[in-house]
Amino acid sequence: MTILVTDQGFGPDRWDRGYTPLGECANDAVALDVPSDADPDTIPLSADIIRVDFPSFADGRGFTIARMLRLRGYRGRLRAHGHVISDQYAMARRAGFDEVEISQALAARQPEDQWQFRADWQDHDYQARLRGASNY
């Protein structure tokens, strides 16, 4: 069982329709599973939800994929999946992710308050402050 992290805190994962691996999908796939080494330009934008894998917390390619999908106009749900830690939550949100999917084991090691501490990701955006904007 997985836990979803959003700006509101921990919640259950209610998505029960499964995911289609990127290499096996047609343009009409409802939910895509995208590996961290995928070329963002090859990912169809028609899916309702795109789940991007993070094989390691030190692998930031998923952040680039999320940002590129948003810049290409993707407006569906974007989910980070795998080894994302609470310290990376603000970065995940700024990159374009709507939510982070974590295991129960990670939730036990990094409880909800550690993730909530970073839920003010818009208020502490260094680049936005440099630009003079209050929101990203």
Side-chain angles (χ1 to χ4, degrees):
M1 181 132 149
T2 59
I3 295 170
L4 285 186
V5 182
T6 65
D7 292 349
Q8 288 72 45
F10 284 6
D13 182 1
R14 299 198 192 288
W15 185 264
D16 61 358
R17 296 170 60 184
Y19 295 88
T20 303
L22 179 61
E24 301 172 16
C25 76
N27 284 341
D28 61 348
V30 174
L32 291 177
D33 240 343
V34 174
S36 63
D37 63 351
D39 178 355
D41 292 331
T42 64
I43 301 170
L45 304 180
S46 57
D48 292 341
I49 183 171
I50 296 176
R51 183 170 73 168
V52 180
D53 187 46
F54 282 76
S56 162
F57 76 89
D59 186 343
R61 294 176 292 177
F63 297 121
T64 301
I65 290 172
R67 183 72 179 136
M68 297 304 296
L69 288 173
R70 293 298 188 199
L71 288 173
R72 286 181 54 214
Y74 181 67
R75 301 223 181 264
R77 279 173 64 188
L78 216 92
R79 178 183 290 189
H81 167 270
H83 298 281
V84 178
I85 59 176
S86 63
D87 286 343
Q88 296 170 316
Y89 182 72
M91 177 63 176
R93 292 291 284 130
R94 285 188 195 108
F97 285 106
D98 298 301
E99 56 203 23
V100 176
E101 179 182 331
I102 63 172
S103 67
Q104 288 185 336
L106 179 58
R109 286 191 312 273
Q110 294 187 326
E112 185 174 15
D113 64 323
Q114 291 183 22
W115 295 83
Q116 283 296 117
F117 180 73
R118 287 144 184 99
D120 61 351
W121 58 275
Q122 290 177 324
D123 293 335
H124 300 287
D125 182 8
Y126 173 74
Q127 291 182 359
R129 284 192 312 233
L130 287 177
R131 290 189 303 267
S134 61
N135 291 323
Y136 186 63

